[in-house]
Amino acid sequence: MVTQSDTNHRHGNSNVDQRTAKEKAIDDWLPITSSREAKWWYSAFHNVTAMVGAGVLSLPYAMSELGWGPGVAVLVISWVVTLYTLWQMVEMHEMVPGKRFDRYHELGQYAFGEKLGLYIVVPQQLIVEVGVDIVYMVTGGKSLQKFHNLVCKKDCKDIKLTYFIMIFASVHFVISHLPNFNSISWVSLVAAIMSLSYSTIAWTASVKKGVQPEVDYSYKAKSTAGTVFGFFSALGDVAFAYAGHNVVLEIQATIPSTPEKPSKGPMWKGVVVAYIVVALCYFPVALIGYWMFGNDVSDNILITLKDPSWLIAMANMFVVFHVIGSYQIYAMPVFDMIETVLVKKLNFPPSFALRFVSRNLYVAFTMFVGICFPFFGGLLGFFGGFAFAPTTYFLPCVMWLAIYKPRRFSLSWIANWICIILGVLLMILSPIGGLRQIIIQAKTYEFFS
């Protein structure tokens, strides 16, 4: 999937571009490498859009499954660990002079070898990116449905979720044809603002409601097994909230770089701003939502709030706009992989027609799966454990150890091994909770509901 010439991009004027004219033309056409004009703030709102998904609204519910102590610990540890692993990826983007690892799998190939790197990274990255896009299809559809039900209470037909998912997908059949990351920066900016807006509505409306009279902070499940499985599932929900690493190298690839001013400077600046916004969204929503409603909170805090209906309707519309941007951020690396295979492996000429067909088929696929499995969130808790935890929590650490080989028992070595152990535990435990959730939801499930 990647050759030496792919990574030998110009790095200032000191390195000779060794690509052929044909290879250069292809790289100038592919979505990840076609434009390198991004500013540091593009990195900030791309990262916010990638991180702060609609998953933030399920964090109070995750807290109710985890409890106060473990819940706060998991949230804080996840924020610290993922910021550290994100810093590692930003540093590794151009650790080899004259090369840029523009895609996650290119870094994997450098760390683990040409074939093994592909086998380790690509399946996990695809599970995350395609999985998140399917979840966002369902989320977008559900939020549109909630908006419709809140705004139109009288003389309105009850419309199936299927149709709302199709309406949401119709937007992507249009904007998926924007060529690269820089061209979707305005979509991403709107999405980042929306994520901050609906998160703020969620926690301020919770404060307005106040602590409920019968609030209960004990575990909702009556059996020990139910409590344990719920705990594991909540770990998966938190891992899902920190999935932005899967697109970070691709975002960094759009920033210009020279030996004097490498891309890691502006990229890291953007990441820090993004993580401050992540903290401003995640912690108030999770902690205040749980504090006000206890274990009575729904898996979407906006459902628990209900009124004022105009405010909750507005928040649901903000969610729709946000997941439009998030869908595109996760779809762009998938488009890049599909188009790379079609052009470099199958020798199709780069063209608008090729892009039009391949991208529409991808949008149609994610829409179809979303319609068939609207409980895909549970599936993602299951599959996500295998892919979210590695790509976000410990794969960057494994690469760091393989490439830099820090001295045993040095601070770097210890920090990386702690992240790896925590990530492996998360990878093992969260699918167990997700599997139970699927079994429970499948009992009452009807196709094309």
Side-chain angles (χ1 to χ4, degrees):
M1 191 172 267
V2 59
T3 61
Q4 185 69 23
S5 58
D6 291 333
T7 44
N8 266 341
H9 296 324
R10 243 191 308 266
H11 193 286
N13 300 319
S14 63
N15 293 292
V16 179
D17 193 346
Q18 296 173 2
R19 295 171 295 166
T20 63
K22 185 184 175 185
E23 286 171 334
K24 187 175 184 310
I26 290 170
D27 286 339
D28 288 345
W29 180 78
L30 288 171
I32 302 300
T33 48
S34 62
S35 176
R36 300 207 192 261
E37 304 301 320
K39 305 288 187 281
W40 73 264
W41 52 87
Y42 286 28
S43 146
F45 46 74
H46 282 326
N47 276 294
V48 170
T49 304
M51 280 283 183
V52 188
V56 66
L57 300 173
S58 69
L59 288 178
Y61 183 76
M63 283 290 296
S64 74
E65 302 266 62
L66 295 167
W68 273 120
V72 173
V74 167
L75 277 178
V76 173
I77 290 168
S78 289
W79 191 87
V80 172
V81 168
T82 57
L83 180 59
Y84 172 64
T85 54
L86 200 50
W87 169 78
Q88 288 181 310
M89 293 192 75
V90 170
E91 286 290 315
M92 289 190 284
H93 177 79
E94 45 198 345
M95 68 178 102
V96 179
K99 286 187 186 179
R100 293 184 71 171
F101 297 111
D102 295 319
R103 300 161 180 91
Y104 205 144
H105 67 80
E106 291 178 11
L107 183 59
Q109 285 175 295
Y110 183 76
F112 308 122
E114 287 288 311
K115 278 198 172 174
L116 186 61
L118 273 186
Y119 295 146
I120 289 173
V121 176
V122 172
Q124 296 185 80
Q125 198 180 6
L126 280 175
I127 287 171
V128 173
E129 288 165 355
V130 179
V132 167
D133 277 346
I134 294 166
V135 167
Y136 285 158
M137 273 289 174
V138 179
T139 305
K142 281 183 174 174
S143 296
L144 276 173
Q145 188 181 43
K146 282 176 207 154
F147 177 79
H148 170 266
N149 294 345
L150 284 163
V151 170
C152 186
K153 288 178 180 172
K154 292 177 184 174
D155 307 321
C156 279
K157 283 185 177 178
D158 193 22
I159 302 172
K160 281 183 175 182
L161 175 62
T162 296
Y163 297 117
F164 285 107
I165 293 174
M166 289 166 82
I167 292 165
F168 181 77
S170 65
V171 178
H172 295 291
F173 282 116
V174 178
I175 61 172
S176 287
H177 300 295
L178 291 168
N180 52 44
F181 263 122
N182 285 355
S183 62
I184 61 166
S185 56
W186 60 274
V187 180
S188 200
L189 174 60
V190 171
I193 293 166
M194 292 297 145
S195 60
L196 195 55
S197 303
Y198 69 70
S199 299
T200 306
I201 289 172
W203 71 260
T204 51
S206 297
V207 169
K208 180 89 168 48
K209 282 250 178 183
V211 178
Q212 297 305 288
E214 304 289 314
V215 71
D216 182 4
Y217 300 117
S218 64
Y219 291 117
K220 193 183 289 188
K222 297 293 174 266
S223 65
T224 307
T227 304
V228 171
F229 281 122
F231 190 94
F232 291 166
S233 183
L235 290 176
D237 289 343
V238 175
F240 176 59
Y242 289 97
H245 295 53
N246 289 276
V247 291
V248 72
L249 290 178
E250 287 81 353
I251 292 169
Q252 191 168 347
T254 64
I255 295 175
S257 182
T258 63
E260 300 78 38
K261 284 190 174 179
S263 65
K264 66 182 180 184
M267 182 67 188
W268 180 241
K269 203 171 172 184
V271 166
V272 170
V273 171
Y275 256 72
I276 291 167
V277 175
V278 166
L280 291 173
C281 292
Y282 285 16
F283 292 106
V285 172
L287 303 179
I288 293 171
Y290 182 46
W291 180 25
M292 299 304 161
F293 301 106
N295 64 19
D296 222 22
V297 72
S298 301
D299 59 0
N300 180 334
I301 184 76
L302 296 180
I303 296 173
T304 310
L305 288 164
K306 289 179 187 153
D307 55 343
S309 59
W310 66 269
L311 186 66
I312 305 309
M314 191 166 72
N316 273 298
M317 211 59 216
F318 287 167
V319 172
V320 172
F321 282 115
H322 174 252
V323 292
I324 286 171
S326 284
Y327 182 99
Q328 289 301 318
I329 290 286
Y330 283 98
M332 200 57 80
V334 182
F335 294 153
D336 184 80
M337 282 188 206
I338 294 168
E339 289 161 20
T340 299
V341 170
L342 289 171
V343 174
K344 291 190 177 181
K345 294 286 181 191
L346 303 177
N347 295 317
F348 280 94
S351 66
F352 173 77
L354 180 75
R355 188 165 269 175
F356 183 82
V357 173
S358 62
R359 293 191 181 190
N360 278 347
L361 283 173
Y362 175 77
V363 174
F365 169 75
T366 54
M367 177 186 77
F368 180 73
V369 178
I371 289 168
C372 290
F373 303 102
F375 60 83
F376 196 81
L379 285 175
L380 206 69
F382 177 64
F383 289 117
F386 299 122
F388 279 99
T391 53
T392 301
Y393 285 79
F394 69 87
L395 198 54
C397 297
V398 175
M399 291 179 181
W400 189 272
L401 291 174
I403 294 165
Y404 287 107
K405 297 180 175 59
R407 191 168 42 81
R408 284 186 77 177
F409 304 112
S410 64
L411 185 61
S412 172
W413 188 89
I414 292 167
N416 283 303
W417 274 106
I418 289 170
C419 294
I420 291 167
I421 292 163
L422 291 173
V424 170
L425 285 171
L426 189 61
M427 182 181 75
I428 295 165
L429 299 177
S430 60
I432 298 169
L435 182 62
R436 180 173 179 268
Q437 209 175 333
I438 294 164
I439 294 164
I440 292 167
Q441 290 176 326
K443 285 177 184 173
T444 56
Y445 173 65
E446 289 175 21
F447 267 104
F448 305 108
S449 49

